[in-house]
């Protein structure tokens, strides 16, 4: 791509993740793949020059300076662990004010001892999903190179986040590519409301992803999909906040839904770096949960046994799998629209994260996801369907005995409940047609925790009787 400005902070660079290549590039270059070999890129740091903090407790001094934007942001108060841009270029809108909560109701549902299940509630971000952690970092990079337009293909939340950062910062115009498959109205409404140019393609997410890469290349538009390595730097901080909330203790498990696999990749990098820097003494185990209707990672990891393999994963095996998908004309299909992705762009990075974190992969059915979502709702942390895959996956791993009842387990709730009210209402509805229309064809046959509206005539006695009968 044409844009290349030297903004080097002297301490950060981009590096190809393939060990046989390992080419490095200035952070001022706009790249979404290694120009030499096509592999994914990492943002890497010259830690010797940076001199990172000697302990994670060092970051606590920032709490006393909360009125400074870079200390208030839950991403940038960890600036010293992602110093790829000069501080004056940082674009922040106060992202990352997200809590970690012990949630015993959900813990019992999973089968954990009291106090052992924690929910990291990323729905609390400004645009309602974890994507803001990455967008603030991508915008900061875009600003350092002077980009005027930014684009993404999205199942919804990346576009909502991009649109919000564009209108809040007034630095760039947002161009959003969506497929014609599922996109929840909560998310689409955000993009439209925030004024993004929205291009709807007659195709699915994987088609939109392909096109946005071509178009941004051709028009020199800054691409903010999670192939953008700077986004993942911001998403590392979700794990820093988890540690911060635990008094810098490392939990036993991090459980996260897997779509394009950017989040799981970022989490692995976060822990690997902290461990290399001597800031933690062990890494947690990582569980990545696919939806059964979009289960590429599960198929490749568990059935084909494909592994990171020192940076040489069996790419022929992966290609064979995709060829099978193509010849069967198989399309991703799940109620969890945010993870309805069959060709995860960060697959290799995620395999590396699974290697670093002794990881496991599972798939959860839409039935399991929606039942788990209802349990999350009952606990007071409503989430969208994709997020509940983490809870459904933790339950499966507990039942298998992979997770022990005494393990400390953190499930990431990636997006807010109000992102996708259609799925929630259909689950709880009394209307069988509506239930079947939204849920039935995805193999959801029963809503185990449905909270049905009680229908009564407009009659005082009937209403009183209904309340007495149901409370
Ligand atoms: C994007 C998204 C995911 C998937 O994350 P990846 O990094 O693409 O694996 C899961 N849940 C929600 C709510 C999302 O918006
Ligand atoms: Zn390379």
């Amino acid at each position: 791509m044409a844009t290349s400005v030297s903004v080097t902070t002297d301490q950060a660079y981009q590096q190809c993740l393939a060990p046989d290549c390992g080419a490095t590039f200035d952070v001022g270059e706009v790249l979404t793949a290694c120009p030499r070999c096509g592999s994914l890129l990492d943002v890497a740091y010259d830690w010797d020059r940076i001199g990172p903090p000697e302990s994670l407790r060092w970051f606590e001094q920032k709490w006393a300076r909360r009125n400074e934007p870079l200390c208030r942001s839950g991403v940038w108060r960890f600036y010293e662990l992602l110093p790829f841009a000069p501080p004056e270029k940082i674009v922040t809108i106060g992202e990352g004010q997200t809590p970690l909560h012990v949630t015993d109701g959900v813990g019992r549902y999973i089968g954990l001892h009291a106090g052992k299940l924690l929910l990291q509630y990323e729905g609390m971000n400004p645009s309602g999903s974890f994507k803001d952690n990455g967008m603030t970092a991508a915008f900061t990079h875009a600003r350092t190179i002077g980009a005027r337009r930014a684009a993404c293909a999205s199942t919804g939340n990346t576009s909502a986040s991009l649109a919000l950062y564009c209108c809040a910062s007034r630095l760039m115009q947002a161009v959003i590519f969506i497929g014609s498959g599922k996109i929840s109205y909560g998310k689409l409404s955000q993009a439209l409301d925030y004024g993004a140019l929205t291009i709807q393609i007659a195709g699915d997410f994987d088609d939109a992803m392909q096109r946005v890469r071509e178009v941004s290349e051709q028009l020199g538009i800054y691409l903010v999909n999670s192939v953008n390595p700077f986004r993942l730097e911001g998403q590392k901080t979700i794990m820093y906040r988890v540690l911060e909330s635990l008094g810098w203790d490392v939990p036993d498990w991090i459980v996260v839904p897997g779509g394009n696999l950017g989040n799981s990749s970022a989490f692995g990098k976060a822990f690997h770096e902290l461990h290399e820097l001597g800031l933690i003494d062990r890494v947690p185990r990582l569980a990545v949960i696919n939806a059964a209707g979009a289960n590429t990672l599960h198929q490749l990891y568990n059935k084909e046994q494909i592994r990171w393999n020192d940076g040489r994963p069996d790419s022929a095996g992966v290609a064979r799998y995709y060829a099978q998908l193509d010849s069967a004309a198989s399309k991703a299909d799940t109620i969890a629209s945010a993870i309805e992705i069959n060709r995860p762009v960060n697959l290799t990075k995620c395999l590396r994260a699974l290697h670093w974190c002794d990881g496991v992969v599972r798939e959860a059915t839409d039935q399991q996801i929606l039942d788990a979502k209802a349990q999350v709702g009952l606990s007071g942390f409503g989430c969208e369907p994709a997020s509940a895959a983490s809870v459904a996956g933790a339950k499966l791993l507990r039942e298998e005995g992979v997770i022990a009842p005494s393990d400390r387990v953190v499930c990431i709730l990636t997006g807010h409940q109000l992102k996708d009210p259609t799925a929630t209402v259909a689950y709880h509805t009394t209307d069988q047609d509506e239930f079947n229309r939204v849920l039935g064809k995805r193999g959801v046959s029963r809503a185990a925790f449905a909270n049905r509206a009680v229908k009564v005539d407009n009659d005082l006695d009937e209403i009183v009787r209904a309340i007495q009968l149901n409370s």
Side-chain angles (χ1 to χ4, degrees):
M1 216 174 283
T3 335
S4 174
V5 185
S6 189
V7 292
T8 176
T9 53
D10 272 6
Q11 46 196 32
Y13 51 100
Q14 302 183 73
Q15 182 163 37
C16 172
L17 102 172
D20 295 333
C21 172
T24 61
F25 307 93
D26 192 277
V27 286
E29 289 196 57
V30 180
L31 302 164
T32 51
C34 173
R36 289 206 203 144
C37 75
S39 299
L40 294 166
L41 296 168
D42 282 315
V43 180
Y45 302 94
D46 185 350
W47 294 113
D48 288 341
R49 258 165 102 166
I50 296 167
E54 278 177 11
S55 88
L56 287 171
R57 286 204 181 280
W58 181 86
F59 288 100
E60 293 175 11
Q61 55 164 305
K62 307 225 182 172
W63 301 346
R65 292 159 46 202
R66 282 183 65 82
N67 52 351
E68 297 170 31
L70 299 194
C71 292
R72 182 163 58 246
S73 164
V75 172
W76 297 107
R77 73 167 169 270
F78 298 103
Y79 174 76
E80 287 74 9
L81 296 171
L82 56 151
F84 62 79
E88 65 275 12
K89 294 288 187 187
I90 289 173
V91 182
T92 172
I93 60 171
E95 56 288 320
Q97 311 298 322
T98 58
L100 179 74
H101 272 275
V102 173
T103 312
D104 281 342
V106 176
R108 268 193 301 280
Y109 177 68
I110 292 173
L112 294 171
H113 292 163
K116 295 297 185 179
L117 186 274
L118 300 104
L119 297 176
Q120 175 68 18
Y121 190 36
E122 291 298 312
M124 204 76 127
N125 272 294
S127 81
S129 84
F130 79 83
K131 297 294 197 301
D132 295 344
N133 292 280
M135 206 52 71
T136 183
F139 261 65
T140 297
H141 181 244
R143 186 178 183 188
T144 63
I145 59 112
R148 306 299 313 156
R149 284 186 294 192
C152 70
S154 175
T155 59
N157 282 332
T158 304
S159 57
S161 182
L162 170 62
L164 173 54
Y165 275 81
C166 278
C167 71
S169 69
R170 301 186 179 280
L171 285 170
M172 291 193 286
Q173 192 203 359
V175 185
I176 283 158
F177 284 63
I178 56 175
S180 298
K182 275 186 295 307
I183 176 164
S184 76
Y185 267 34
K187 302 172 191 181
L188 183 57
S189 67
Q190 287 180 287
L192 298 174
D193 224 18
Y194 296 138
L197 168 60
T198 306
I199 311 275
Q200 186 161 20
I201 301 178
D204 67 3
F205 172 80
D206 296 312
D207 299 324
M209 185 72 227
Q210 172 73 24
R211 290 299 180 198
V212 77
R213 290 179 91 143
E214 294 165 6
V215 170
S216 1
E217 182 78 40
Q218 193 170 332
L219 298 180
I221 302 178
Y222 188 86
L223 188 64
V224 299
N225 272 102
S226 54
V227 286
N228 177 319
F230 295 92
R231 242 185 74 182
L232 301 197
E233 291 305 290
Q235 289 171 211
K236 290 192 305 191
T237 65
I238 301 169
M239 294 299 103
Y240 305 154
R241 296 198 295 278
V242 165
L243 295 179
E244 181 181 49
S245 298
L246 294 174
W248 312 110
D249 275 351
V250 178
D252 297 303
W253 287 93
I254 301 288
V255 191
V256 62
N260 251 332
L261 306 177
N263 232 8
S264 45
S265 298
F267 296 175
K269 186 171 191 278
F271 288 117
H272 181 70
E273 285 174 349
L274 291 181
H275 195 245
E276 296 271 288
L277 291 170
L279 292 170
I280 52 176
D281 55 13
R282 67 182 184 101
V283 296
R285 294 191 69 186
L286 180 67
V288 184
I289 314 301
N290 273 165
N295 65 354
T296 293
L297 182 68
H298 165 71
Q299 292 286 348
L300 294 177
Y301 197 75
N302 294 325
K303 302 259 162 69
E304 308 292 330
Q305 294 289 318
I306 288 179
R307 293 293 183 273
W308 166 243
N309 190 28
D310 292 327
R312 294 169 198 88
D314 174 9
S315 48
V318 175
R320 234 178 1 255
Y321 179 76
Y322 287 146
Q324 276 168 27
L325 284 185
D326 285 343
S327 66
S330 169
K331 296 282 179 194
D333 183 17
T334 165
I335 190 77
S337 60
I339 54 174
E340 188 178 51
I341 295 171
N342 259 349
R343 292 171 185 269
V345 297
N346 286 299
L347 175 67
T348 331
K349 270 190 187 171
C350 178
L351 290 172
R352 185 179 63 177
L354 290 163
H355 165 75
W356 279 336
C357 299
D358 189 14
V360 297
V361 177
R362 291 294 182 272
E363 59 173 348
T365 64
D366 283 5
Q367 178 84 59
Q368 290 162 337
I369 287 173
L370 288 175
D371 287 341
K373 176 174 135 36
Q375 287 293 315
V376 172
L378 278 172
S379 77
F381 294 97
C383 66
E384 64 170 284
S387 311
S390 60
V391 170
K395 182 170 163 62
L396 292 171
L397 289 164
R398 174 71 272 287
E399 283 162 4
E400 289 174 26
V402 177
I403 290 180
S406 56
D407 283 351
R408 183 141 74 160
V409 180
V410 176
C411 290
I412 312 300
L413 295 184
T414 45
H416 198 280
Q417 177 186 42
L418 297 178
K419 288 282 190 174
D420 191 357
T422 312
T424 308
V425 173
Y427 182 86
H428 292 292
T429 190
T430 39
D431 182 339
Q432 195 61 40
D433 288 342
E434 177 65 3
F435 183 93
N436 289 340
R437 190 181 67 77
V438 179
L439 305 175
K441 66 174 191 282
R442 312 199 192 290
V444 178
S445 58
R446 101 202 120 76
F449 309 108
N451 178 23
R452 302 236 147 76
V454 180
K455 295 204 170 137
V456 290
D457 287 338
N458 185 11
D459 174 283
L460 182 59
D461 290 340
E462 289 255 347
I463 295 169
V464 167
R465 198 169 319 123
I467 293 172
Q468 282 168 340
L469 267 175
N470 288 285
S471 55

